Amino acid sequence: MLRFILDIISPKICYSCKKEWSFICEDCFSKIYDFEEKCYVCKKYSKNSENHRNCQVLNNVFYDKIIILKHYKNPLIKKLIKDWKFYNKKEILEELAFFLFKKFLENENTKKFDEYLVISIPSYFLRKWKRWYNSSEVLAKSFARYSNINYKKNTLKKVRNTKQQSKLDRKTRLDNLKNSFTFNEKYLNLVKDKKVIIVDDVVSTWATINEISSILKQKWAKKIIWLVVASD
């Protein structure tokens, strides 16, 4: 109710066309070039963005597919990212979760939502305290609301405050992430034999994705699907 009142007093305006009631309307979002379907390992075409099996085996990759909405170098996407990261406009993430849900339906082509579990990437408590919220949690919670898929917030825990991955080389990235995440064993039965959906805002490196996917596969997750707003 409070949000409804605030929207009346100071309505959101689309960053592109300036229409009221949203930060990015469906019409404007649809005009941004879609991220192409491809295997995220070899970067070659793959239907519905499924990883090629050979690519997974040869490169020791544990995630099965990454669904990405848009390229993060698009000016409008860059503006949205900047505002949710640095100006606390988390409602942008809530809106983008709707587009992630639409993309998920296109790629997965399923109505058996009870086969899935939604989780988020945890932040180290100091980082979350500094920003006031975790982008992955906001996206995952909103996505779960649209899809009615079960969401478990604390399935994983970040136990080390790691350095920013994008500023490190490949070997250092792997060392940086080692033993930085732990699994909450009380959720083992929820993860086992499930298709686990991990929702995130921006992906620039594969190391975090693979580290988390490895942990979940060790806990008998059937399939690992990453839903990401933007990447390169």
Side-chain angles (χ1 to χ4, degrees), residues 20-146:
E20 292 185 349
W21 306 112
S22 66
F23 289 114
I24 177 69
C25 70
E26 288 193 60
D27 287 341
C28 292
F29 196 78
S30 66
K31 293 175 184 177
I32 303 173
Y33 179 71
D34 278 340
F35 208 95
E36 63 272 19
E37 294 178 307
K38 65 182 180 182
C39 165
Y40 202 77
V41 182
C42 69
K43 304 297 191 294
K44 295 180 181 179
Y45 171 78
S46 178
K47 184 175 175 58
N48 293 331
S49 300
E50 299 277 354
N51 284 340
H52 300 129
R53 187 57 55 189
N54 286 344
C55 291
Q56 284 189 261
V57 173
L58 293 175
N59 292 278
N60 202 31
V61 167
F62 298 97
Y63 53 91
D64 298 286
K65 69 188 297 182
I66 302 180
I67 301 172
I68 303 168
L69 285 180
K70 307 293 181 180
H71 200 292
Y72 66 50
K73 290 186 178 180
N74 175 276
L76 181 56
I77 296 299
K78 287 177 71 174
K79 170 64 174 170
L80 291 167
I81 292 172
K82 180 180 178 181
D83 282 3
W84 85 59
K85 279 188 176 291
F86 303 111
Y87 296 101
N88 296 323
K89 292 186 177 181
K90 70 175 185 178
E91 288 176 87
I92 293 174
L93 294 167
E94 294 169 354
E95 290 183 16
L96 290 171
F98 171 72
F99 297 113
L100 283 173
F101 175 55
K102 289 182 64 177
K103 192 75 171 181
F104 168 77
L105 291 179
E106 293 173 8
N107 277 261
E108 277 294 283
N109 191 28
T110 183
K111 295 182 180 179
K112 297 180 180 179
F113 289 171
D114 58 339
E115 296 179 342
Y116 298 86
L117 174 72
V118 178
I119 70 172
S120 51
I121 303 173
S123 291
Y124 193 64
F125 75 96
L126 288 175
R127 187 171 296 180
K128 185 176 179 180
W129 175 79
K130 183 178 180 181
R131 189 174 289 176
W132 294 99
Y133 64 87
N134 177 340
S135 298
S136 178
E137 286 179 8
V138 176
L139 280 167
K141 186 176 180 180
S142 300
F143 175 85
R145 186 173 68 249
Y146 288 121

Side-chain angles (χ1 to χ4, degrees), residues 180-207:
S180 61
F181 295 98
T182 59
F183 180 81
N184 191 336
E185 294 293 337
K186 74 177 183 179
Y187 294 131
L188 180 60
N189 288 335
L190 286 177
V191 170
K192 186 178 180 182
D193 298 324
K194 289 289 186 179
K195 297 177 181 179
V196 180
I197 301 168
I198 307 160
V199 190
D200 200 7
D201 54 359
V202 178
V203 169
S204 57
T205 70
W206 66 273

Side-chain angles (χ1 to χ4, degrees), residues 3 7 10-14 19-23 91 95:
R3 181 170 295 178
D7 283 345
S10 180
K12 304 170 196 171
I13 297 176
C14 176
K19 287 191 297 188
E20 292 185 349
W21 306 112
S22 66
F23 289 114
E91 288 176 87
E95 290 183 16

